Amino acid sequence: MTSVKPSLRSLPAWKALEAHYAKVRELHLRQLFADDPKRGERLALEAAGLYLDYSKNRVTDETLKLLRQLAEECGLRTRIDAMFSGEKINVTENRAVLHVALRAPKEASIVVDGENVVPQVHAVLDKMAAFADRVRGGDWKGHTGKRIRNVINIGIGGSDLGPVMAYEALKHYTHRWMTLRFVSNVDGTDFAEAVQDLDPAETLFIISSKTFTTLETMTNAHTARDWSLAGLGGDAGAVAKHFVAVSTNAEKVSEFGIDTANMFGFWDWVGGRYSMDSAIGLSTMLAIGHENFRAMLTGFHEMDEHFRTAPFEQNLPALLGLLTVWYTNFFGSETVAILPYEQYLKRFPAYLQQLTMESNGKHVTLAGTKVDYSTGPIYWGEPGTNGQHSFYQLIHQGTRLIPADFIAFVETLNPLGRHHDMLLANVFAQTEALAFGKTFEQVKAEGTPDWLAPHRVFEGNRPSNTILADRLTPQILGKLVALYEHSVFTQGAIWNIDSFDQWGVELGKVLAQRIIPELESKTELELRHDSSTNSLIQRYRKLKK
Ligand code: F6P
């Protein structure tokens, strides 16, 4: 995979897209819709239970054709096959990238280093299911014999964001007698607030860390053990009943004091940000039960199969990824807004931030040469309709082009009077307003005075996708996450980068390790940082109690 490829900019499709962009950049969505009355029906796709309306994008049939050609010239098809067959496409870490194996059916075979990994995946799932049944059924008792009512997942990054997002997304399917909380930040407030009203005798901690070395997680895990033991009479034997681990590092798990019989494993071919459907999802399974968890995996798998087999014209993740490339590299867009019109998806944008930005925030190609084009855009967002009363102003009338994904469901899980119709009316209204805007003439025709009219003009031509599904179920959540995972993959394949490493988080971690003793030292130390860092450290040392 590391073979030197021709630079992206020199590919025929890229050059053709540049020329094409010069022709279509001013083309308005008003015009595109006027020229093709069936555009809204034509530029829509339905696959694996998700409906994508992409007609409100600044594309013509020619744009789409050229983007698909770009995908071909970049070898997207070969890259997909390489991932699914367990090739070591994470070249800088020499690892396979096989989150798709986490949701492969029992009878599938995916071979890594000569071994079919699917049976291992199902063995862990079965072990998780048995454990979840015992906790949910009240058979797994705490140290004092009380039933577990509280579950706290301690983890960060991929060992937190997926579990938090999935718990919030699938809350409808949870037992309400069980309290689920998530501690990630090394800021002690996170832990203190999470446990302040809980009884240690009823509280189970899941220490989730792929490496079991992450500073934040290990600090919180030790604090949790102290809190637990302090509340349970100090008997170290209590750890066995109140702590389980999810990790790839059995040695570190047992060093911490957790019996590896209570460890749920996964593998180095699962990236942290792609791990919510591995044992890292144990808190999700405890919350929703193993049948629902397995339904979520089925959803993931359906989208995987769609991505693997569908031609690019009908391939939802490929299309979504290519549209992002179009805006990022040709229009110069710097961000993508994720706007779920579903309260249960309130943490979905935060989850996608790690998925997309840790994956594609890269400045060199697979071969290590500096890219001369933009890579991963900034993903951000908030659930609708809240965002409408906050940042949408800038999307509608600001000077930046912000492509937006609207996500909505036909049925609500909480039917309440007219709420859902109103919610969906806002989805459709926003995408309509963004695309078509309001001209000066329309504003004037409303009797607006000349001086005010420019302020009330909406230029429109703001692109959006609308993703519609029937109802937010575990299965649909799996499909939605897999849709974005593979969109990220598509983008990374075009940009020819390693979407599966994350070296960019290392430097800060290393520097923090150096600074910690400088903050804690009782004696004065000679600081050898730059003058800014030195004086910040000195100020903190002087003022802290
Ligand atoms: O932030 C860097 C990172 O390595 C993420 O990729 C990962 O999800 C997170 O830290 C947590 O790592 P671990 O699961 O090993 O504690």
Side-chain angles (χ1 to χ4, degrees):
M1 298 302 297
T2 43
S3 64
V4 181
K5 285 188 165 188
S7 115
L8 182 55
R9 286 178 174 283
S10 69
L11 294 176
W14 184 277
K15 289 189 177 302
L17 277 162
E18 277 175 334
H20 173 71
Y21 170 70
K23 279 196 241 148
V24 300
R25 53 187 287 192
E26 303 295 345
L27 211 55
H28 202 289
L29 282 164
R30 284 182 207 128
Q31 193 61 48
L32 289 169
F33 272 85
D35 291 349
D36 175 7
K38 291 212 179 296
R39 182 179 169 94
E41 293 147 53
R42 218 167 48 77
L43 299 191
L45 266 180
E46 188 160 12
L50 296 184
Y51 178 81
L52 170 69
D53 175 351
Y54 62 100
S55 62
K56 294 190 182 92
N57 278 291
R58 291 171 68 170
V59 294
T60 64
D61 290 348
E62 178 68 7
T63 322
L64 295 167
K65 194 185 102 205
L66 290 173
L67 287 169
R68 288 194 298 269
Q69 191 187 323
L70 183 67
E72 300 291 355
E73 288 176 15
C74 291
L76 176 61
R77 177 62 59 205
T78 317
R79 293 284 286 269
I80 294 173
D81 292 343
M83 171 170 75
F84 277 84
S85 62
E87 271 182 44
K88 299 196 172 171
I89 60 167
N90 175 359
V91 294
T92 71
E93 296 180 315
N94 191 29
R95 286 177 181 165
V97 173
L98 271 180
H99 40 279
V100 293
L102 297 170
R103 50 263 191 160
K106 259 195 175 115
E107 57 285 1
S109 168
I110 301 175
V111 176
V112 181
D113 292 331
E115 197 178 352
N116 178 11
V117 297
V118 178
Q120 304 170 28
V121 167
H122 282 271
V124 173
L125 275 173
D126 292 345
K127 183 174 168 181
M128 289 165 66
F131 175 71
D133 278 352
R134 286 182 71 194
V135 175
R136 286 163 62 86
D139 300 328
W140 178 285
K141 301 269 193 284
H143 188 58
T144 64
K146 279 191 175 177
R147 177 182 192 147
I148 297 296
R149 292 182 178 279
N150 317 310
V151 175
I152 301 189
N153 184 75
I154 295 183
I156 196 163
S159 300
D160 168 71
L161 289 162
V164 176
M165 181 279 287
Y167 171 65
E168 292 296 341
L170 301 175
K171 209 172 201 165
H172 180 77
Y173 302 89
T174 64
H175 286 322
R176 300 306 167 103
W177 57 262
M178 208 186 240
T179 298
L180 268 284
R181 292 201 180 142
F182 300 85
V183 174
S184 53
N185 200 336
V186 76
D187 181 338
T189 299
D190 205 6
F191 182 83
E193 284 295 337
V195 298
Q196 53 91 22
D197 56 347
L198 302 186
D199 175 359
E202 299 182 334
T203 304
L204 174 81
F205 289 94
I206 306 175
I207 313 299
S208 296
S209 174
K210 182 174 169 181
T211 54
F212 230 70
T213 57
T214 304
L215 170 89
E216 292 88 342
T217 302
M218 296 329 294
T219 306
N220 280 318
H222 282 100
T223 302
R225 191 169 55 184
D226 293 347
W227 177 84
S228 201
L229 293 187
L232 293 168
D235 178 358
V239 169
K241 291 285 164 204
H242 293 271
F243 284 79
V244 297
V246 179
S247 187
T248 56
N249 192 341
E251 205 182 314
K252 290 275 175 207
V253 167
S254 63
E255 235 173 66
F256 178 84
I258 297 176
D259 184 348
T260 47
N262 297 333
M263 167 180 159
F264 300 85
F266 61 117
W267 307 271
D268 71 359
W269 40 261
V270 183
R273 53 195 175 273
Y274 297 87
S275 67
M276 61 167 276
D277 48 342
S278 71
I280 288 291
L282 185 62
S283 58
T284 314
M285 195 190 268
L286 283 166
I288 63 173
H290 70 88
E291 294 90 350
N292 279 323
F293 193 85
R294 288 182 200 273
M296 183 178 81
L297 297 183
T298 305
F300 269 104
H301 180 66
E302 279 178 50
M303 187 53 74
D304 293 344
E305 282 304 282
H306 166 72
F307 181 54
R308 189 175 69 81
T309 58
F312 294 151
E313 295 94 297
Q314 285 146 30
N315 195 312
L316 287 183
L319 178 61
L320 217 53
L322 290 169
L323 287 168
T324 303
V325 168
W326 175 234
Y327 293 118
T328 303
N329 298 114
F330 296 91
F331 284 86
S333 293
E334 303 221 311
T335 81
V336 177
I338 302 293
L339 308 170
Y341 278 65
E342 168 54 72
Q343 187 64 19
Y344 284 125
L345 288 184
K346 64 182 180 194
R347 295 293 290 165
F348 195 62
Y351 168 75
L352 283 192
Q353 282 185 330
Q354 188 201 13
L355 180 70
T356 59
M357 290 158 74
E358 202 165 73
S359 295
N360 285 341
K362 306 293 160 63
H363 72 302
V364 295
T365 65
L366 286 169
T369 45
K370 194 153 192 297
V371 295
D372 55 358
Y373 41 85
S374 294
T375 60
I378 298 156
Y379 277 73
W380 60 286
E382 280 288 325
T385 56
N386 300 12
Q388 289 174 211
H389 296 272
S390 135
F391 53 79
Y392 278 38
Q393 165 66 37
L394 186 146
I395 309 184
H396 281 289
Q397 284 191 316
T399 53
R400 294 164 201 281
L401 186 74
I402 301 182
D405 289 356
F406 288 76
I407 303 169
F409 298 88
V410 174
E411 262 182 66
T412 173
L413 296 170
N414 294 296
L416 213 56
R418 299 170 61 212
H419 282 250
H420 200 60
D421 286 343
M422 289 187 186
L423 180 71
L424 271 282
N426 274 282
V427 177
F428 305 143
Q430 287 298 325
T431 63
E432 189 176 18
L434 286 168
F436 301 102
K438 197 171 185 183
T439 61
F440 187 81
E441 292 68 35
Q442 287 170 319
V443 174
K444 283 290 297 165
E446 288 170 350
T448 311
D450 275 359
W451 69 269
L452 186 56
H455 297 275
R456 300 189 58 175
V457 166
F458 288 65
E459 287 173 345
N461 220 10
R462 268 61 170 169
S464 67
N465 288 306
T466 303
I467 298 168
L468 258 187
D470 287 351
R471 177 185 161 86
L472 179 53
T473 59
Q475 200 161 343
I476 288 289
L477 182 69
K479 292 175 188 191
L480 207 51
V481 173
L483 170 68
Y484 279 96
E485 285 177 347
H486 299 319
S487 163
V488 165
F489 182 93
T490 300
Q491 296 164 35
I494 303 296
W495 292 322
N496 193 28
I497 54 179
D498 190 332
S499 301
F500 302 102
D501 61 12
Q502 57 285 316
W503 298 106
V505 299
E506 292 305 319
L507 180 59
K509 282 191 200 170
V510 172
L511 294 181
Q513 288 296 354
R514 179 176 152 202
I515 294 174
I516 292 167
E518 294 172 347
L519 302 186
E520 289 178 338
S521 168
K522 298 281 176 245
T523 56
E524 275 314 308
L525 295 171
E526 194 198 336
L527 299 174
R528 291 166 189 269
H529 304 273
D530 59 275
S531 60
S532 159
T533 311
N534 283 346
S535 51
L536 287 167
I537 292 172
Q538 274 151 0
R539 185 173 173 82
Y540 175 76
R541 280 180 58 89
K542 198 161 108 208
L543 296 180
K544 80 169 186 166
K545 301 233 163 52

